Amino acid sequence: MQNAGHIGKIVVLPPVAGRHEVTAKAVRGMKVDPDGVHLVVGGIGGFGLVAANWLVEKGARRIALCSRRGQPDAETRAMIELRAEWRRCGFGPCLRHHGCRGRGDASGDASFGSTVRSVVHAAMVLDDALISNLSRERNRPVIETKAKGAAILDRLTRGDRLDNFILFSSATTLVGNPGQANYVAANGYLEGLARARRQEGLAGLAIGFGAIADAGYLTQNADVNDLLAKRIGKTALKAQVALDMVENHVAADPGTVDAAVVMISEIDWTAARNLPVAATRSSR
Ligand SMILES: NC(=O)c1ccc[n+]([C@@H]2O[C@H](COP(=O)([O-])OP(=O)(O)OC[C@H]3O[C@@H](n4cnc5c(N)ncnc54)[C@H](OP(=O)(O)O)[C@@H]3O)[C@@H](O)[C@H]2O)c1
């Protein structure tokens, strides 16, 4: 409604007592401790790098970027070298990283230390195929990068006082996406983990992003972008706009288990209605 992008009328329904949870908890802003380490897994390039920059803009001074490459690519070097905020911040360890291994692991080179205040898990590997063509071997990297990575990050940071534990999921957990069963399952795990952490009183937020227009995978894979546009419409958000929405959610977050998962996506529901999964759901 704010974007004035709608056609026709918008019906706003008030919460129903007993059915919707309404809490009066104080609204809090997003906390980014300037003295803490902020770890972005999958933060070398792509949407993860934009998220790292977002943390720097929020006041982070010590950023650790992890990926299997373990070395900044051209995009990351440009960010570090050209932006004044990054030059000020002690861009320290660019950790060599294998499947989110950390402290105590055989690789021995990814110690998170004791001052971690934020974890952003943005790593992903895709291997899309119809389910009949998928195998355990094909699914493993897709699932493990997200789910096992998140489980390890959860375990290794239990002793840290985390302000943010943010898992990048996908709106495909809401609408499904033919050919992405492994990816959707892996993201489903992230959402369950965010809820489970909140149940235990720990920081946890999983965000189901829709398509991102200007950073990450879809910018490198025009054919996938076109296919997705046919399925959910040409509705991709700019990465910065999506992250601003995350911040708005965090600011208004009541801290409930339900609020541990949020979808940040624009979806053309007329197009999405034709998705096999969406059609099955709506026909129930
Ligand atoms: N782009 C979108 O439109 C979109 C939409 C919805 C959700 N998301 C979510 O946003 C996140 C980032 O997406 P993206 O488009 O930026 O992806 P991307 O460009 O493919 O980047 C993925 C990153 O993950 C790293 N990575 C892969 N396997 C890893 C592992 N085992 N351990 C550590 N790092 C690993 C990669 O670096 P190495 O190759 O060096 O390991 C790379 O930095 C993903 O979680 C994705 O699900 C993106």
Side-chain angles (χ1 to χ4, degrees), residues 135-260:
S135 61
R136 195 176 283 265
E137 289 65 39
R138 288 188 69 172
N139 289 336
R140 186 172 289 130
V142 179
I143 306 251
E144 288 196 348
T145 300
K146 286 224 164 217
K148 197 171 173 190
I152 293 172
L153 288 166
D154 169 50
R155 181 164 50 80
L156 291 181
T157 57
R158 284 280 163 143
D160 297 300
R161 284 184 295 109
L162 289 184
D163 298 316
N164 306 295
F165 188 91
I166 300 177
L167 304 163
F168 279 21
S169 178
S170 159
T172 55
T173 60
L174 181 70
V175 293
N177 197 13
Q180 288 203 312
N182 46 20
Y183 178 67
V184 174
N187 282 312
Y189 178 90
L190 301 189
E191 295 177 8
L193 178 64
R195 288 194 182 94
R197 281 180 58 94
R198 283 212 184 182
Q199 198 94 50
E200 292 184 57
L202 299 168
L205 177 62
I207 304 145
F209 289 107
I212 299 298
D214 56 348
Y217 186 84
L218 293 178
T219 61
Q220 313 287 333
N221 295 274
D223 49 335
V224 182
N225 193 20
D226 291 346
L227 191 64
L228 201 62
K230 278 195 195 116
R231 288 179 177 161
I232 60 168
K234 285 194 174 170
T235 52
L237 290 173
K238 287 198 166 171
Q240 189 59 51
V241 171
L243 292 168
D244 289 345
M245 288 182 180
V246 174
E247 198 183 342
N248 290 345
H249 176 76
V250 171
D253 189 343
T256 58
V257 172
D258 276 350

Side-chain angles (χ1 to χ4, degrees), residues 10-278:
I10 293 178
V11 178
V12 180
L13 298 174
V16 177
R19 241 177 74 206
H20 300 126
E21 196 173 355
V22 182
T23 60
K25 259 196 174 176
V27 167
R28 69 167 186 108
M30 184 159 165
K31 192 171 170 197
V32 181
D33 181 351
D35 298 322
V37 171
H38 303 273
L39 172 70
V40 184
V41 181
I44 294 184
F47 192 22
L49 179 63
V50 184
N53 186 53
W54 172 66
L55 291 173
V56 169
E57 284 175 350
K58 300 269 144 292
R61 290 282 177 272
R62 296 164 73 195
I63 294 279
L65 302 179
C66 292
S67 88
R68 292 166 302 179
R69 283 168 286 176
Q71 294 297 327
D73 58 6
E75 191 187 357
T76 310
R77 268 200 304 276
M79 180 80 84
I80 295 164
E81 284 159 18
L82 297 180
R83 297 231 177 171
E85 295 93 334
W86 279 84
R87 284 205 303 274
R88 273 202 304 277
C89 95
F91 172 75
C94 186
L95 303 175
R96 191 167 168 72
H97 186 71
H98 300 275
C100 297
R101 291 173 183 175
R103 187 169 45 206
D105 182 86
S107 67
D109 53 5
S111 173
F112 299 157
S114 58
T115 56
V116 180
R117 291 286 179 265
S118 301
V119 171
V120 174
H121 182 22
M124 78 160 178
V125 166
L126 290 179
D127 189 358
D128 296 353
L130 289 180
I131 207 159
S132 52
N133 296 326
L134 287 174
S135 61
R136 195 176 283 265
E137 289 65 39
R138 288 188 69 172
N139 289 336
R140 186 172 289 130
V142 179
I143 306 251
E144 288 196 348
T145 300
K146 286 224 164 217
K148 197 171 173 190
I152 293 172
L153 288 166
D154 169 50
R155 181 164 50 80
L156 291 181
T157 57
R158 284 280 163 143
D160 297 300
R161 284 184 295 109
L162 289 184
D163 298 316
N164 306 295
F165 188 91
I166 300 177
L167 304 163
F168 279 21
S169 178
S170 159
T172 55
T173 60
L174 181 70
V175 293
N177 197 13
Q180 288 203 312
N182 46 20
Y183 178 67
V184 174
N187 282 312
Y189 178 90
L190 301 189
E191 295 177 8
L193 178 64
R195 288 194 182 94
R197 281 180 58 94
R198 283 212 184 182
Q199 198 94 50
E200 292 184 57
L202 299 168
L205 177 62
I207 304 145
F209 289 107
I212 299 298
D214 56 348
Y217 186 84
L218 293 178
T219 61
Q220 313 287 333
N221 295 274
D223 49 335
V224 182
N225 193 20
D226 291 346
L227 191 64
L228 201 62
K230 278 195 195 116
R231 288 179 177 161
I232 60 168
K234 285 194 174 170
T235 52
L237 290 173
K238 287 198 166 171
Q240 189 59 51
V241 171
L243 292 168
D244 289 345
M245 288 182 180
V246 174
E247 198 183 342
N248 290 345
H249 176 76
V250 171
D253 189 343
T256 58
V257 172
D258 276 350
V261 179
V262 63
M263 297 292 144
I264 293 186
S265 171
E266 285 200 11
I267 294 177
D268 174 347
W269 289 107
T270 310
R273 194 188 290 268
N274 296 325
L275 275 172
V277 177

